[in-house]
């Protein structure tokens, strides 16, 4: 049994909880932590911090892209930490412990973390599987490139935002014209991502049980209302700009493109499988007020 843990970078509380979860398991569970957390724990041991002897937690490290080799992955931090960890999990169940302010992706309180992780590990031991809920992702492709699937959103934008910048875009849904004109960019979000960047661009909230994608223009000159489409729709965005454009996946991975260009967006085949107690969407929503 392999348990992978990813802690929020630079957060001492996250590092402490990583260590507490790791020490709670016996030798029959191989606990691996992300390389940054492993380095931090090693530095603390070198300065004489933490338990000594048999109580000391000395895990091996694992690269984010190798998390799919684990039986379970735990992300500890804010939603950004969850997104970071989710990049490498593939079909491996992932659960999130919330140290952030809202926590739309991390459904477990820190005080409940050890018990929740042990419950899922026990399920995996006894049945070889655990109950999960699937979160859809969206994938952007171009003529000769493909970005990793996005759990929150894909953004197509010009080199700079603001008056006199941006790009000319034409957005089609299954071949039918939705909008055309000049804008800072276009954002395509999943229901999960509707509460993130999409919301800051005045896009709609979408309940996580709705199978959909959201198309939101960013500061368009002739702005159309945001559009919610079926998750099996194909979106094509033709982009024209004197200075090229950039396609960004979940705010982390980007692809610069020469214009004119066409970007195609579809629901990714690979979903993210979230384990552990269900998230109370409306409780998290209330924290936005």
């Amino acid at each position: 049994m392999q348990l992978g843990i990813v802690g929020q970078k630079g957060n001492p509380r996250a590092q402490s909880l990583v260590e507490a979860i790791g020490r709670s398991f016996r030798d029959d569970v191989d606990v691996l932590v992300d390389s940054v957390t492993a380095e931090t724990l090693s530095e603390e041991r070198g300065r004489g911090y933490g338990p000594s002897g048999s109580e000391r937690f000395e895990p091996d490290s694992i690269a984010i892209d190798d998390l799919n080799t684990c039986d379970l992955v735990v992300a500890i931090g804010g939603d950004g930490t969850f997104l970071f960890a989710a990049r490498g999990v593939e079909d491996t169940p992932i659960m999130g412990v919330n140290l952030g302010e809202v926590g739309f992706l991390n459904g477990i309180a820190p005080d409940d973390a050890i018990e929740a992780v042990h419950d899922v590990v026990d399920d995996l031991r006894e049945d070889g599987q655990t109950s999960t809920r699937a979160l859809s992702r969206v994938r952007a492709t171009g003529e000769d490139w493909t970005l990793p699937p996005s759990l929150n959103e894909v953004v197509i934008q010009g080199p700079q935002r603001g008056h006199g910048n941006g790009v000319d875009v034409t957005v089609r849904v299954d071949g039918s014209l939705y909008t055309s004109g000049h804008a800072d960019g276009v954002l395509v979000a999943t229901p999960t991502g509707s509460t993130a960047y999409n919301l800051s661009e005045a896009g709609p909230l979408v309940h996580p049980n709705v199978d959909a994608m959201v198309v939101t223009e960013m500061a368009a000159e002739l702005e159309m209302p945001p559009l919610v489409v079926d998750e099996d729709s194909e979106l094509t965005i033709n982009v024209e700009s004197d200075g090229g454009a950039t396609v960004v996946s979940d705010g982390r991975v980007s692809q610069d493109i020469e214009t004119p260009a066409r970007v195609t967006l579809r629901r990714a085949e690979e979903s993210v499988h979230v384990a552990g107690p269900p998230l109370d969407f409306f409780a998290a929503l209330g924290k936005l007020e």
Side-chain angles (χ1 to χ4, degrees):
M1 170 74 69
Q2 282 195 333
L3 171 65
I5 309 180
V6 179
Q8 186 177 35
K9 183 179 179 180
N11 187 332
R13 192 181 180 197
Q15 312 306 321
S16 177
L17 192 50
V18 168
E19 189 164 10
I21 293 173
R23 287 205 315 269
S24 72
F25 284 97
R26 299 181 183 275
D27 294 339
D28 56 344
V29 175
D30 186 13
V31 180
L32 307 171
V33 303
D34 68 280
S35 56
V36 173
T37 300
E39 183 178 353
T40 300
L41 294 174
S42 178
E43 290 173 353
E44 290 180 351
R45 288 194 298 272
R47 292 194 294 266
Y49 298 148
S52 60
S54 61
E55 293 297 317
R56 179 164 290 185
F57 178 53
E58 300 185 29
D60 291 327
S61 67
I62 186 170
I64 293 298
D65 291 341
D66 294 332
L67 289 174
N68 61 308
T69 64
C70 296
D71 297 284
L72 174 68
V73 171
V74 179
I76 302 174
D79 285 349
T81 305
F82 188 101
L83 288 172
F84 179 64
R87 286 170 45 196
V89 297
E90 295 185 5
D91 290 335
T92 296
I94 180 172
M95 55 196 305
V97 179
N98 182 35
L99 299 183
E101 294 182 1
V102 181
F104 279 104
L105 291 169
N106 298 321
I108 301 168
D111 291 344
D112 301 328
I114 293 177
E115 181 180 357
V117 174
H118 276 263
D119 285 345
V120 174
V121 168
D122 288 344
D123 284 345
L124 292 170
R125 277 180 176 148
E126 294 171 8
D127 304 325
Q129 60 184 5
T130 188
S131 176
T132 62
R133 55 196 182 280
L135 300 182
S136 295
R137 297 195 282 188
V138 60
R139 186 187 294 277
T141 60
E143 183 176 352
D144 55 1
W145 56 267
T146 299
L147 283 181
S150 307
L151 181 56
N152 267 0
E153 78 282 310
V154 172
V155 174
I156 300 99
Q157 60 188 16
Q160 290 183 310
R161 299 197 61 174
H163 182 72
N165 297 304
V167 290
D168 292 321
V169 294
T170 300
V171 182
R172 296 182 180 274
V173 181
D174 293 329
S176 298
L177 179 65
Y178 159 57
T179 187
S180 181
H182 194 79
D184 282 358
V186 176
L187 184 152
V188 177
T190 64
T192 302
S194 71
T195 60
Y197 195 178
N198 168 72
L199 189 61
S200 69
E201 293 292 336
L205 291 169
V206 180
H207 191 277
N209 290 344
V210 176
D211 298 329
M213 291 188 291
V214 182
V215 187
T216 302
E217 289 187 287
M218 302 161 59
E221 291 182 356
L222 299 173
E223 192 166 11
M224 285 285 284
L227 179 68
V228 179
V229 301
D230 185 274
E231 70 169 356
D232 290 325
S233 300
E234 179 183 86
L235 305 174
T236 55
I237 302 175
N238 290 333
V239 188
E240 295 189 14
S241 168
D242 293 336
T246 303
V247 185
V248 186
S249 169
D250 281 342
R252 290 183 177 271
V253 184
S254 63
Q255 173 72 46
D256 293 330
I257 57 175
E258 296 182 0
T259 50
R262 172 177 290 185
V263 180
T264 301
L265 299 109
R266 301 182 183 90
R267 179 175 61 87
E269 293 182 2
E270 313 94 326
S271 297
V272 173
H273 301 279
V274 182
L279 173 70
D280 188 335
F281 174 76
F282 291 101
L285 201 61
K287 297 178 183 179
L288 293 175
E289 297 178 357

